[in-house]
Short mmCIF file of all heavy atoms in Angstrom, two decimals:
data_model
loop_
_atom_site.label_atom_id
_atom_site.label_comp_id
_atom_site.label_asym_id
_atom_site.label_seq_id
_atom_site.Cartn_x
_atom_site.Cartn_y
_atom_site.Cartn_z
N GLY A 1 -11.11 -7.10 28.25
CA GLY A 1 -11.03 -5.84 27.55
C GLY A 1 -12.31 -5.38 26.88
O GLY A 1 -12.35 -4.28 26.31
N GLY A 2 -13.34 -6.20 26.93
CA GLY A 2 -14.60 -5.79 26.32
C GLY A 2 -15.29 -4.71 27.14
O GLY A 2 -14.84 -4.35 28.23
N GLY A 3 -16.38 -4.20 26.59
CA GLY A 3 -17.13 -3.17 27.29
C GLY A 3 -18.07 -2.45 26.37
O GLY A 3 -18.30 -2.87 25.23
N LEU A 4 -18.60 -1.35 26.88
CA LEU A 4 -19.51 -0.49 26.12
C LEU A 4 -18.74 0.69 25.58
O LEU A 4 -18.02 1.37 26.32
CB LEU A 4 -20.65 -0.01 27.04
CG LEU A 4 -21.60 1.02 26.46
CD1 LEU A 4 -22.38 0.45 25.27
CD2 LEU A 4 -22.55 1.52 27.54
N VAL A 5 -18.88 0.94 24.28
CA VAL A 5 -18.16 2.03 23.64
C VAL A 5 -19.09 2.70 22.64
O VAL A 5 -19.96 2.04 22.05
CB VAL A 5 -16.86 1.52 22.98
CG1 VAL A 5 -17.17 0.53 21.88
CG2 VAL A 5 -16.00 2.65 22.49
N GLN A 6 -18.90 3.98 22.44
CA GLN A 6 -19.71 4.70 21.46
C GLN A 6 -19.21 4.43 20.04
O GLN A 6 -18.03 4.11 19.84
CB GLN A 6 -19.64 6.20 21.74
CG GLN A 6 -20.33 6.61 23.03
CD GLN A 6 -20.41 8.12 23.19
OE1 GLN A 6 -19.70 8.87 22.51
NE2 GLN A 6 -21.28 8.57 24.07
N PRO A 7 -20.08 4.57 19.06
CA PRO A 7 -19.64 4.43 17.67
C PRO A 7 -18.46 5.35 17.38
O PRO A 7 -18.44 6.50 17.82
CB PRO A 7 -20.88 4.82 16.85
CG PRO A 7 -22.01 4.47 17.76
CD PRO A 7 -21.54 4.78 19.14
N GLY A 8 -17.48 4.80 16.66
CA GLY A 8 -16.26 5.54 16.37
C GLY A 8 -15.17 5.36 17.41
O GLY A 8 -14.03 5.79 17.19
N GLY A 9 -15.50 4.74 18.52
CA GLY A 9 -14.53 4.54 19.58
C GLY A 9 -13.63 3.35 19.35
O GLY A 9 -13.69 2.69 18.30
N SER A 10 -12.78 3.09 20.35
CA SER A 10 -11.80 2.01 20.25
C SER A 10 -11.81 1.15 21.51
O SER A 10 -12.16 1.62 22.60
CB SER A 10 -10.38 2.60 20.08
OG SER A 10 -10.28 3.34 18.89
N LEU A 11 -11.41 -0.09 21.32
CA LEU A 11 -11.18 -1.02 22.42
C LEU A 11 -10.01 -1.91 22.05
O LEU A 11 -9.79 -2.18 20.87
CB LEU A 11 -12.41 -1.90 22.68
CG LEU A 11 -13.61 -1.33 23.43
CD1 LEU A 11 -14.74 -2.34 23.43
CD2 LEU A 11 -13.25 -0.92 24.84
N ARG A 12 -9.32 -2.40 23.07
CA ARG A 12 -8.30 -3.41 22.83
C ARG A 12 -8.63 -4.64 23.66
O ARG A 12 -8.69 -4.57 24.90
CB ARG A 12 -6.89 -2.92 23.18
CG ARG A 12 -5.83 -3.93 22.76
CD ARG A 12 -4.41 -3.44 22.97
NE ARG A 12 -3.94 -3.67 24.33
CZ ARG A 12 -2.66 -3.86 24.64
NH1 ARG A 12 -1.73 -3.85 23.70
NH2 ARG A 12 -2.31 -4.04 25.90
N LEU A 13 -8.82 -5.74 22.97
CA LEU A 13 -9.09 -7.02 23.63
C LEU A 13 -7.78 -7.77 23.83
O LEU A 13 -6.87 -7.67 23.00
CB LEU A 13 -10.05 -7.87 22.80
CG LEU A 13 -11.37 -7.22 22.40
CD1 LEU A 13 -12.22 -8.24 21.63
CD2 LEU A 13 -12.11 -6.66 23.58
N SER A 14 -7.73 -8.51 24.91
CA SER A 14 -6.58 -9.36 25.20
C SER A 14 -7.06 -10.79 25.42
O SER A 14 -8.16 -11.01 25.91
CB SER A 14 -5.85 -8.89 26.46
OG SER A 14 -5.37 -7.58 26.32
N CYS A 15 -6.21 -11.73 25.06
CA CYS A 15 -6.49 -13.15 25.31
C CYS A 15 -5.21 -13.74 25.90
O CYS A 15 -4.21 -13.89 25.19
CB CYS A 15 -6.88 -13.85 24.03
SG CYS A 15 -7.03 -15.65 24.20
N ALA A 16 -5.27 -14.07 27.18
CA ALA A 16 -4.13 -14.66 27.87
C ALA A 16 -4.22 -16.18 27.77
O ALA A 16 -5.25 -16.77 28.11
CB ALA A 16 -4.13 -14.23 29.33
N ALA A 17 -3.16 -16.79 27.29
CA ALA A 17 -3.14 -18.22 27.04
C ALA A 17 -2.23 -18.94 28.03
O ALA A 17 -1.22 -18.39 28.48
CB ALA A 17 -2.67 -18.50 25.63
N SER A 18 -2.58 -20.17 28.35
CA SER A 18 -1.75 -20.99 29.21
C SER A 18 -2.02 -22.46 28.90
O SER A 18 -3.00 -22.80 28.26
CB SER A 18 -2.03 -20.70 30.69
OG SER A 18 -3.38 -20.96 31.01
N GLY A 19 -1.09 -23.31 29.35
CA GLY A 19 -1.27 -24.74 29.19
C GLY A 19 -0.71 -25.31 27.90
O GLY A 19 -0.87 -26.51 27.64
N PHE A 20 -0.07 -24.48 27.10
CA PHE A 20 0.56 -24.96 25.87
C PHE A 20 1.68 -23.98 25.50
O PHE A 20 1.78 -22.89 26.08
CB PHE A 20 -0.46 -25.09 24.74
CG PHE A 20 -1.12 -23.80 24.32
CD1 PHE A 20 -0.70 -23.11 23.18
CD2 PHE A 20 -2.18 -23.26 25.05
CE1 PHE A 20 -1.32 -21.94 22.79
CE2 PHE A 20 -2.80 -22.09 24.67
CZ PHE A 20 -2.36 -21.41 23.53
N ILE A 21 2.51 -24.38 24.55
CA ILE A 21 3.61 -23.52 24.13
C ILE A 21 3.04 -22.51 23.13
O ILE A 21 2.87 -22.80 21.94
CB ILE A 21 4.74 -24.34 23.50
CG1 ILE A 21 5.26 -25.37 24.53
CG2 ILE A 21 5.88 -23.43 23.06
CD1 ILE A 21 6.27 -26.34 23.99
N PHE A 22 2.77 -21.34 23.64
CA PHE A 22 2.02 -20.32 22.90
C PHE A 22 2.67 -20.01 21.55
O PHE A 22 1.98 -19.89 20.54
CB PHE A 22 1.95 -19.06 23.76
CG PHE A 22 1.19 -17.93 23.14
CD1 PHE A 22 -0.20 -17.95 23.07
CD2 PHE A 22 1.86 -16.82 22.64
CE1 PHE A 22 -0.90 -16.89 22.52
CE2 PHE A 22 1.17 -15.76 22.08
CZ PHE A 22 -0.22 -15.80 22.01
N SER A 23 3.99 -19.88 21.54
CA SER A 23 4.67 -19.47 20.31
C SER A 23 4.60 -20.53 19.21
O SER A 23 4.94 -20.24 18.06
CB SER A 23 6.13 -19.12 20.60
OG SER A 23 6.79 -20.23 21.18
N ASP A 24 4.15 -21.72 19.53
CA ASP A 24 4.08 -22.80 18.55
C ASP A 24 2.77 -22.82 17.76
O ASP A 24 2.62 -23.65 16.85
CB ASP A 24 4.25 -24.17 19.23
CG ASP A 24 5.69 -24.49 19.57
OD1 ASP A 24 6.57 -23.68 19.20
OD2 ASP A 24 5.93 -25.54 20.19
N TYR A 25 1.84 -21.94 18.11
CA TYR A 25 0.50 -22.04 17.51
C TYR A 25 -0.02 -20.71 16.99
O TYR A 25 0.20 -19.66 17.61
CB TYR A 25 -0.49 -22.59 18.53
CG TYR A 25 -0.18 -24.01 18.92
CD1 TYR A 25 0.64 -24.29 20.01
CD2 TYR A 25 -0.67 -25.08 18.18
CE1 TYR A 25 0.97 -25.59 20.34
CE2 TYR A 25 -0.36 -26.38 18.51
CZ TYR A 25 0.47 -26.63 19.58
OH TYR A 25 0.78 -27.92 19.91
N GLY A 26 -0.70 -20.80 15.85
CA GLY A 26 -1.45 -19.64 15.40
C GLY A 26 -2.64 -19.40 16.30
O GLY A 26 -3.13 -20.31 16.98
N MET A 27 -3.09 -18.15 16.32
CA MET A 27 -4.22 -17.75 17.17
C MET A 27 -5.22 -16.99 16.32
O MET A 27 -4.87 -16.39 15.30
CB MET A 27 -3.74 -16.86 18.32
CG MET A 27 -2.73 -17.50 19.27
SD MET A 27 -3.42 -18.87 20.22
CE MET A 27 -4.68 -18.02 21.17
N SER A 28 -6.46 -17.01 16.77
CA SER A 28 -7.48 -16.29 16.02
C SER A 28 -8.52 -15.69 16.97
O SER A 28 -8.67 -16.13 18.11
CB SER A 28 -8.15 -17.20 15.00
OG SER A 28 -8.65 -18.36 15.63
N TRP A 29 -9.20 -14.68 16.45
CA TRP A 29 -10.33 -14.05 17.14
C TRP A 29 -11.59 -14.30 16.31
O TRP A 29 -11.58 -14.15 15.09
CB TRP A 29 -10.12 -12.54 17.26
CG TRP A 29 -9.16 -12.13 18.33
CD1 TRP A 29 -7.84 -11.82 18.17
CD2 TRP A 29 -9.44 -11.95 19.72
NE1 TRP A 29 -7.28 -11.49 19.37
CE2 TRP A 29 -8.25 -11.54 20.35
CE3 TRP A 29 -10.60 -12.09 20.50
CZ2 TRP A 29 -8.17 -11.28 21.73
CZ3 TRP A 29 -10.52 -11.83 21.87
CH2 TRP A 29 -9.31 -11.43 22.46
N TYR A 30 -12.65 -14.65 17.00
CA TYR A 30 -13.97 -14.82 16.41
C TYR A 30 -14.94 -13.91 17.16
O TYR A 30 -14.66 -13.43 18.25
CB TYR A 30 -14.45 -16.26 16.55
CG TYR A 30 -13.83 -17.24 15.60
CD1 TYR A 30 -12.50 -17.63 15.72
CD2 TYR A 30 -14.58 -17.79 14.56
CE1 TYR A 30 -11.94 -18.54 14.85
CE2 TYR A 30 -14.03 -18.70 13.67
CZ TYR A 30 -12.71 -19.07 13.83
OH TYR A 30 -12.16 -19.97 12.95
N ARG A 31 -16.11 -13.74 16.58
CA ARG A 31 -17.18 -13.03 17.28
C ARG A 31 -18.52 -13.66 16.94
O ARG A 31 -18.69 -14.25 15.87
CB ARG A 31 -17.19 -11.54 16.94
CG ARG A 31 -17.56 -11.21 15.51
CD ARG A 31 -17.42 -9.72 15.27
NE ARG A 31 -17.78 -9.35 13.90
CZ ARG A 31 -17.61 -8.14 13.40
NH1 ARG A 31 -17.10 -7.16 14.14
NH2 ARG A 31 -17.98 -7.89 12.15
N GLN A 32 -19.45 -13.48 17.86
CA GLN A 32 -20.81 -13.97 17.64
C GLN A 32 -21.81 -12.93 18.12
O GLN A 32 -21.83 -12.60 19.31
CB GLN A 32 -21.04 -15.30 18.36
CG GLN A 32 -22.37 -15.94 18.02
CD GLN A 32 -22.43 -17.38 18.47
OE1 GLN A 32 -21.68 -17.83 19.32
NE2 GLN A 32 -23.34 -18.13 17.85
N ALA A 33 -22.57 -12.42 17.18
CA ALA A 33 -23.62 -11.45 17.49
C ALA A 33 -24.91 -12.20 17.78
O ALA A 33 -25.09 -13.34 17.34
CB ALA A 33 -23.80 -10.50 16.31
N PRO A 34 -25.84 -11.57 18.52
CA PRO A 34 -27.11 -12.24 18.83
C PRO A 34 -27.83 -12.71 17.58
O PRO A 34 -27.99 -11.95 16.62
CB PRO A 34 -27.90 -11.14 19.54
CG PRO A 34 -26.86 -10.25 20.12
CD PRO A 34 -25.74 -10.25 19.13
N GLY A 35 -28.21 -13.98 17.58
CA GLY A 35 -28.96 -14.54 16.45
C GLY A 35 -28.13 -14.86 15.23
O GLY A 35 -28.68 -15.22 14.19
N LYS A 36 -26.83 -14.70 15.33
CA LYS A 36 -25.96 -14.96 14.18
C LYS A 36 -24.94 -16.05 14.50
O LYS A 36 -24.68 -16.35 15.66
CB LYS A 36 -25.24 -13.68 13.75
CG LYS A 36 -26.16 -12.60 13.24
CD LYS A 36 -25.35 -11.43 12.68
CE LYS A 36 -26.27 -10.36 12.10
NZ LYS A 36 -25.50 -9.22 11.51
#
């Protein structure tokens, strides 16, 4: 779901999980910018 968007725009990211019982675990999103 990532991509290039103009300031003020919107995106929706998705994360498809497998290999475990998804409903049993909390989930989180992280980000990493260049040099950070």
